[in-house]
Amino acid sequence: MDYRFEISLPNSSDFRCEIAVGGEQTFQQFHDKIVETLNYDSSQMASFFTLDRMGNRVKEIALMDMAVEDEESENLVMDNTKISDIIKPGCLELEYVYDFFSNKYYKVEYAGEYIRDSSDVMPVCVACEGDIPEQFSYNEENENWDFDKPAEEYDGDYDDSFMEEFGGSGDYDDDDRQDRDGDEYYRDERYESLDDYIDRL
């Protein structure tokens, strides 16, 4: 049996692709056809995920097995998992993650049996409509991490106002220093010790 799948964006109708793949073919062949059709970088990681009735990801069908060597693995791998092994009456919808860093994925829904033409070389792209989403989004103008507060809001001055709680602004002269075992430390004239400060709170 040949399967027909509709590939679309999770929250948009701007893009739709339909690919047919044989039941005895593998998810690796399905993945390769998606990459070829959408002109994506085939060297990047990708995975299919089965879903439960609530739409949560259950089982991953990965591009390669990431299990540690000599460790028994139950992970499913694309190149040895057939389409018919997964697509059943209780599993007719998948997610195909093509950008793990941004969690960008497609909905992959079983759309019925495909009746192939004698000239078809499976898998085959039946239709592809709309603007193909970019595989990755990268802002070349800003290579640094963004923080909540823009850099221009910082004036470069250190705010030492909290030091007033300890009797000063953080500026000390030589009279404020006490030598103990050859080390220098700052003396607060209002408090004998940290415990004294805490007791007065």
Side-chain angles (χ1 to χ4, degrees):
M1 175 178 171
D2 297 326
Y3 298 75
R4 189 163 45 89
F5 292 97
E6 183 174 291
I7 301 169
S8 61
L9 294 169
N11 299 308
S12 174
S13 59
D14 294 340
F15 171 78
R16 174 185 167 277
C17 183
E18 195 171 299
I19 291 178
V21 57
E24 293 302 304
Q25 292 187 297
T26 66
F27 277 89
Q28 177 73 58
Q29 291 171 291
F30 190 14
H31 159 75
D32 290 343
K33 191 61 184 181
I34 293 174
V35 168
E36 175 192 322
T37 301
L38 305 184
N39 197 29
Y40 282 170
D41 181 357
S42 61
S43 68
Q44 300 301 318
M45 294 298 295
S47 283
F48 292 91
F49 287 90
T50 64
L51 306 175
D52 62 17
R53 293 183 179 180
M54 301 299 293
N56 301 309
R57 294 174 185 174
V58 177
K59 188 176 295 184
E60 180 180 8
I61 308 167
L63 194 56
M64 61 181 66
D65 193 346
M66 303 300 289
V68 179
E69 190 175 350
D70 298 330
E71 179 180 281
E72 187 174 341
S73 173
E74 297 181 355
N75 297 338
L76 296 177
V77 183
M78 291 186 196
D79 65 1
N80 57 22
T81 304
K82 296 179 181 180
I83 302 297
S84 58
D85 291 340
I86 300 298
I87 303 303
K88 309 285 185 182
C91 181
L92 301 176
E93 184 175 344
L94 308 168
E95 285 181 354
Y96 174 76
V97 179
Y98 60 94
D99 179 359
F100 279 94
F101 292 105
S102 301
N103 191 31
K104 294 167 71 175
Y105 65 93
Y106 291 111
K107 292 191 302 179
V108 179
E109 300 175 276
Y110 171 71
E113 182 178 358
Y114 177 72
I115 307 301
R116 71 168 75 183
D117 188 270
S118 59
S119 61
D120 286 338
V121 178
M122 306 294 285
V124 61
C125 176
V126 179
C128 194
E129 304 169 349
D131 296 329
I132 297 175
E134 293 183 0
Q135 188 174 16
F136 299 105
S137 297
Y138 179 70
N139 186 357
E140 296 182 355
E141 296 179 359
N142 184 13
E143 297 182 359
N144 299 321
W145 293 101
D146 291 330
F147 295 95
D148 291 338
K149 187 173 182 181
E152 56 267 21
E153 293 185 21
Y154 295 98
D155 56 13
D157 294 331
Y158 176 69
D159 181 8
D160 61 1
S161 59
F162 73 94
M163 291 298 293
E164 294 176 2
E165 282 291 325
F166 295 96
S169 64
D171 296 329
Y172 299 91
D173 55 30
D174 291 339
D175 293 335
D176 289 326
R177 299 175 184 272
Q178 299 291 318
D179 185 74
R180 180 177 58 191
D181 297 331
D183 297 326
E184 290 188 336
Y185 67 99
Y186 294 119
R187 174 171 57 84
D188 187 329
E189 295 181 354
R190 289 192 297 162
Y191 304 107
E192 295 294 329
S193 66
L194 181 59
D195 289 338
D196 181 33
Y197 168 72
I198 293 173
D199 289 339
R200 296 190 193 189
L201 289 178

